[in-house]
Amino acid sequence: MTLQIRVIAPDQIVWDANAEEIILPSSTGQLGILTGHIPLLTALDIGVMRVRIEKDWQPIILLGGFAEVDNNNITILVNGAEKISEIDIDEAQNNLNQATQLLSEAKTNKDKIEATQNLRKARARIQAANVLNN
């Protein structure tokens, strides 16, 4: 038995496949879903969704949204998503350092919000790189 997973962004279907397990970045922490999970609706945070197909884990960066689990079907509606096949860890670390610096230099509330979002995305890319390298 498998999970049918669909990740839908405003401009595209990012993922539509079967998997054995999924770990979601929910707003209350990491949420693991296996077959037979009870129905659930949860808010998602910016972070890495991990999908296990056979023995391999595939990371996908989610930029916030909602997930619904019902009868082994998982529908994920997101503000945006990035499929990751290969991440340059040095580039990801540089982006994280830049985002951290921009946050420390932000003056207005708007700048602080934007810098915080960029920092969270940069951290998610580092997490995704770690999933790929393990």
Side-chain angles (χ1 to χ4, degrees):
M1 218 175 188
T2 60
L3 300 167
Q4 173 61 39
I5 302 167
R6 292 189 79 197
V7 178
I8 303 167
D11 58 343
Q12 66 179 327
I13 295 176
V14 178
W15 183 274
D16 190 0
N18 292 327
E20 286 74 34
E21 181 179 0
I22 182 172
I23 300 174
L24 296 169
S26 80
S27 59
T28 58
Q30 299 295 308
L31 179 63
I33 308 289
L34 297 169
T35 56
H37 198 284
I38 62 169
L40 173 72
L41 181 62
T42 188
L44 300 176
D45 207 352
I46 293 174
V48 179
M49 173 181 85
R50 293 181 288 272
V51 180
R52 184 170 59 89
I53 300 173
E54 295 180 8
K55 295 184 190 245
D56 295 323
W57 287 95
Q58 174 70 38
I60 298 174
I61 297 172
L62 302 182
L63 304 179
F66 295 92
E68 177 186 37
V69 178
D70 190 28
N71 292 326
N72 293 327
N73 292 308
I74 301 174
T75 304
I76 301 167
L77 304 175
V78 293
N79 299 324
E82 298 177 22
K83 286 178 74 172
I84 304 298
S85 56
E86 191 173 307
I87 294 178
D88 180 346
I89 190 72
D90 293 328
E91 181 181 339
Q93 187 63 49
N94 286 337
N95 290 340
L96 179 62
N97 293 340
Q98 288 174 0
T100 303
Q101 182 177 352
L102 287 174
L103 179 60
S104 68
E105 296 171 355
K107 302 285 185 225
T108 67
N109 282 342
K110 180 183 178 207
D111 290 343
K112 289 177 184 178
I113 291 169
E114 288 177 6
T116 299
Q117 293 298 318
N118 288 333
L119 180 62
R120 293 168 75 195
K121 290 175 191 176
R123 284 183 181 149
R125 288 185 185 102
I126 295 287
Q127 287 175 345
N130 289 334
V131 170
L132 284 176
N133 293 329
N134 288 336

